[in-house]
Amino acid sequence: MRRFCNAIIYLNIFLHFVKNNNANAKKYEGVIKVAKTTKKKTSFESFKKQAAGEVGVNLKDGYNGDLTSKQAGSIGGQMVKKMIESYENGMK
């Protein structure tokens, strides 16, 4: 986990450098798009696994097509519940 966190930190530093240096912006445009997408996917996956753990569903890395509709719906419902709570806490 520590290596992953360090990679995210280095990625953010790299993205900050590229955004603030217009000469490199065009050169690394594709790298930035991939990095942002990867960062979003990993944070979404960790959010999904956390929600699954809270409702008692075990998720595997990768494909989870063996889940029942009830299990998948409970994970999605828990995610929505947590997003609403987060939004409401942000409004206070």
Side-chain angles (χ1 to χ4, degrees):
M1 186 68 172
R2 176 170 275 177
R3 285 183 185 167
F4 177 74
C5 292
N6 288 341
I8 294 289
I9 292 168
Y10 292 132
L11 177 63
N12 284 332
I13 292 169
F14 173 75
L15 293 175
H16 178 74
F17 169 76
V18 172
K19 284 180 186 177
N20 293 325
N21 187 347
N22 289 335
N24 288 328
K26 292 287 183 189
K27 184 177 178 182
Y28 294 109
E29 190 173 287
V31 174
I32 292 171
K33 287 180 183 176
V34 170
K36 285 182 179 178
T37 303
T38 303
K39 184 177 176 183
K40 287 178 185 175
K41 283 183 182 178
T42 55
S43 62
F44 178 75
E45 289 298 319
S46 64
F47 178 57
K48 183 167 59 173
K49 284 189 177 190
Q50 180 185 6
E54 291 173 2
V55 295
V57 177
N58 292 324
L59 287 182
K60 302 176 286 196
D61 288 335
Y63 182 70
N64 285 289
D66 57 340
L67 294 178
T68 64
S69 297
K70 182 178 181 179
Q71 290 172 321
S74 65
I75 294 169
Q78 183 68 14
M79 291 172 68
V80 170
K81 180 181 174 183
K82 292 183 75 65
M83 286 186 275
I84 291 171
E85 286 175 359
S86 174
Y87 177 76
E88 288 175 346
N89 289 338
M91 292 181 62
K92 292 179 181 178

